[in-house]
Amino acid sequence: MFASAARVAVRILLCLTATAVSQIPAPSPPSTPQAGAEFFTDYDEQTFARLAPAGQKIDMEKIDDDLLSAAVFHETNKRRKQHGLLPLRHERKVRDAAQMQAEIMATRGAISHHNPEIPEKASPDDRVRLAGLAPGFVAENVGTAFGVSYKSGEPVYSRETDGKKLLSREPEGEAIPAHTYLTFARAWLDDLMASPLHRGSIISPKPVFLGVSCRLKRNELGMPLFYGTQVFYRPREEARR
């Protein structure tokens, strides 16, 4: 028997700070590579999309964080290229800043840019500095995105099956399928690009680096909801040129 039905919505927010910037110069050298960095550095949006793991459905019990972040990273660059812009570069420390806010939002179960109760992580600039960077330009997109193929506002039914929660569009209906890493990224970028402010960050000529992090928290129905953060960054020394 179905336990409940509801309509679930997602939200996105934008925050942008900057110093005066000019035409983008070559980016600064990246920091020491970390595990999983090859997903960002060894592929572009076309070659990444051909990777077998990227086309796998997301196992909500065993999420590959590097693969998920890379999927959003490459999909973002795909949208930039469609607008005649250079792709953004991977930098571990920028991703660290994005991860800070994704984890805070998932813990709270709410999206935000500001954390006044955590002074060292209070603002996007604070988090970038805490990651060890000197910001000249920072823009941050935050929001939620479903881990399954579900659109905001559709009815959803939740029931227990074999000790696990199952979500369906109709009572006793088939389970809503999980996104693949690629389709998750495409769905979230579609939502972000539909918002003029978030779209503005994605296709801005000002940043040179992008960091992405997504953290899962199920809502009261058991819906897998990712709290995601994109951090667009340009170093201070480059912003002065």
Side-chain angles (χ1 to χ4, degrees), residues 148-151 154-157 159 167-177:
V148 296
S149 184
Y150 171 85
K151 293 186 180 296
E154 292 179 345
V156 59
Y157 295 84
R159 66 181 187 269
L167 301 170
S168 59
R169 292 185 175 86
E170 298 177 354
E172 304 300 322
E174 294 184 0
I176 300 173

Side-chain angles (χ1 to χ4, degrees), residues 169-187:
R169 292 185 175 86
E170 298 177 354
E172 304 300 322
E174 294 184 0
I176 300 173
H179 269 302
T180 69
Y181 289 90
L182 290 173
T183 61
F184 171 86
R186 291 167 186 163

